[in-house]
Amino acid sequence: MGTTGRLARSGTRAGALAAGALLLTVGCSGGAGDSGPAKDDPNPLRAFRAWLKTDDSGRDDALAGHALHISLGYRPGDRDGVVRVLTDYGPWGEAEGQVGPLAGAFTEWWDEDPAAGSARILGQGGKTARTVTLYDGDKPSNLAAEFRSWTAKNAPGGARLAPHVTELTIGYGAKGPGAVTVATDYRTYEDKETRKNVDALGKAFADWWDGDEGAGTVTVTSEDQGTRAERKLSHA
């Protein structure tokens, strides 16, 4: 698959990203000839559901209704990201035998995009029913590591702020844009500057995201959840 069906984020602000672009999968398709929502929707849940209903997928249309939520999670020290696909399969004990067709379809749809290395297909209650490999090649993408690197080089006080980012997650439901959560290791009761630092990371993220349609909001949190900073991500 080429760039069709991906959200390409060029690093135009102060050398934001190495190699000229960061590719975040938010609308993969199973073939170059795909069109419509599966190609253009920046919400991967809706795009995956739409693809399942096309002739290109070769799947039963009813399969789309079993996918309820998709999230992409990244930790700075990991090689790559992990996708979590929440389904309504279950009850637990039965989900493992039910998720196979959806897991296979998601792997085909993802089409070895480097934006995540694996997917966990979750049954009712959020327990992992199956794990599948999505990409194991060279140069995987890790959004948390990319954000920390950009922040350290470009944001005011970034060299001090960046090491405190511990996780970056983008969640997608069937309605609305994606929601980003940036977790930090700041603790409200230990650091009087936590609010200022969390706010600064929220602004840095909005600058780095740079109007990308892949999400509409970002929330930065302290480790103890005592401090939160929320910011809209404007679309260019």
Side-chain angles (χ1 to χ4, degrees):
M1 178 178 71
T3 56
T4 298
R6 292 175 179 168
L7 184 60
R9 304 193 58 247
S10 61
T12 57
R13 291 199 176 188
L17 301 174
L22 171 64
L23 298 179
L24 168 61
T25 301
V26 293
C28 284
S29 62
D34 292 347
S35 61
K39 173 182 176 182
D40 300 325
D41 197 330
N43 179 315
L45 176 63
R46 292 197 301 257
F48 177 50
R49 284 177 164 182
W51 176 76
L52 284 169
K53 295 179 181 180
T54 66
D55 292 338
D56 294 313
S57 79
R59 265 77 176 187
D60 186 339
D61 288 2
L63 197 61
H66 292 287
L68 306 180
H69 188 272
I70 286 177
S71 66
L72 291 78
Y74 302 88
R75 294 179 181 273
D78 291 348
R79 178 181 183 273
D80 47 27
V82 176
V83 180
R84 289 175 174 81
V85 183
L86 178 64
T87 74
D88 63 358
Y89 290 115
W92 189 248
E94 299 178 11
E96 299 94 328
Q98 296 170 338
V99 300
L102 188 70
F106 189 82
T107 303
E108 179 183 347
W109 175 77
W110 191 265
D111 198 15
E112 297 187 350
D113 192 290
S118 62
R120 297 177 184 175
I121 313 301
L122 313 178
Q124 293 177 11
K127 295 182 68 175
T128 300
R130 182 168 300 191
T131 299
V132 294
T133 298
L134 299 177
Y135 178 78
D136 60 1
D138 295 335
K139 299 180 180 179
S141 296
N142 184 318
L143 295 187
E146 296 285 355
F147 172 54
R148 290 217 309 188
S149 177
W150 183 92
T151 298
K153 297 175 182 177
N154 298 285
R160 173 178 55 82
L161 296 169
H164 292 279
V165 174
T166 59
E167 189 170 5
L168 192 161
T169 304
I170 315 172
Y172 296 91
K175 297 181 180 180
V180 181
T181 300
V182 177
T184 73
D185 61 5
Y186 289 117
R187 293 187 178 91
T188 302
Y189 61 85
E190 290 184 355
D191 187 353
K192 295 180 180 179
E193 298 296 309
T194 292
R195 168 59 66 181
K196 182 188 297 183
N197 294 331
V198 166
D199 285 341
L201 280 170
K203 183 181 186 304
F205 187 89
D207 290 342
W208 176 71
W209 196 252
D210 195 21
D212 199 309
E213 293 183 352
T217 61
V218 60
T219 301
V220 183
T221 65
S222 61
E223 185 176 279
D224 59 7
Q225 299 293 306
T227 299
R228 298 165 61 91
E230 298 181 4
R231 185 177 290 266
K232 290 185 178 181
L233 301 172
S234 60
H235 296 162

